[in-house]
Each structure stands twice: as C-alpha cells, then as structure tokens.
Amino acid sequence: MPFPNDLLEQAYHLASREPKRPKQASLRRAVSTAYYALFHLLSSETAKNWRRPAERSTLARMFEHGSMARVCFRKCDELNTYFETRPAEGRELTVLRHILLIASTFVRMRQYRELADYDSSAKWTRTDALEKIQSVDAAFKSWDAVRDEHEAQNFLVTLLLRSEER
C-alpha cells in the first residue's frame, strides 16, 4: 500500500515543513492529506480483494466520502453498544476495538479535513495537526493488526454501501 503510506508520510512532512512558524497552508494541507491517506488505505485495501487486478482502480473510485463516513459512524454506534454488554476478552474483542479505532478516526478526520479545507477562520497549530496525523497513523497500525480478520474484511465491504443522509 505505497500510496496511502506516502500520503501519511507527506502529511508529517507538511506539518513539519516550517520549523519555527508553520504556515496555515502547510498545517491545513497536512490534516487534509492525513485524511486522504486513511481514505485511500481503506479503499485500496477493499479493491485488493477484487480478483481481477485490471478493475481494482475502477472499484476504488466507487467509494464516496460521505457514505463511508455514515457507515463508519453507524459502525461506531454498533460497536459501542456491543462493548456496553461487557463481552469477554479475547481475539474477537481485540479485533473489534481496532475496527472501532479505524472507524472513529475516519469519522473525525473527515470532519477535520472539511474544517481544514473550508473554514478559513479556524487557526491550526503544529500540535493540532500532528495530533490528527498521529491518530491516522494509529489507525494504519490497527489496520495492520487486523487486516486478515473476517470482521475487518467485512467492514471494508460495508464501506461501499450507499445510504440516504440521516
């Protein structure tokens, strides 16, 4: 997954570009780029499951940011409700915690990306930007930990669902 990793690396670079007085443009682009790193991680991981490599890029273009965010938001609600039942510790619970981290990071980062890209009144600090980038980095690590699990693969497929706005 070189492209998502490259985007994440680029986000760190942008956030650290000006050592003393970071420009708002650099910090905003860093946050936006971190979001796109996670978006492309999830879409490319889903597309990898398609048997025919020639059509994978077409499949990856089918993802919609808003639909993915709604699916992730619902997944967070579903998992938080499940966790309230105090399920037994074990591999399944660990996997679900990783999926929750990924889904909740996606929801938050989409909001931050919109703020960074469209709200010129918002002022960003390097600390703010790096905190957001590190959360995406943690989501990447969570994905690496669970990518081969059934629940993780099922989560990917649900990201293609399109539903009406609520």
Side-chain angles (χ1 to χ4, degrees), residues 140-160:
F140 270 55
K141 288 177 175 70
S142 279
W143 179 253
D144 285 342
V146 299
R147 72 169 2 112
D148 295 325
E149 300 290 337
H150 172 76
E151 275 297 323
Q153 292 300 311
N154 186 53
F155 169 67
L156 289 179
V157 172
T158 66
L159 295 175
L160 281 167

Side-chain angles (χ1 to χ4, degrees), residues 28-66:
R28 289 168 180 275
R29 290 308 309 151
V31 171
S32 185
T33 301
Y35 164 77
Y36 281 106
L38 184 55
F39 173 84
H40 286 289
L41 171 72
L42 297 173
S43 62
S44 67
E45 286 291 307
T46 305
K48 282 181 190 177
N49 291 324
W50 193 256
R51 186 173 7 159
R52 297 180 178 174
E55 287 92 19
R56 288 179 183 159
S57 65
T58 302
L59 178 65
R61 287 194 306 271
M62 292 175 66
F63 286 88
E64 293 181 353
H65 299 269

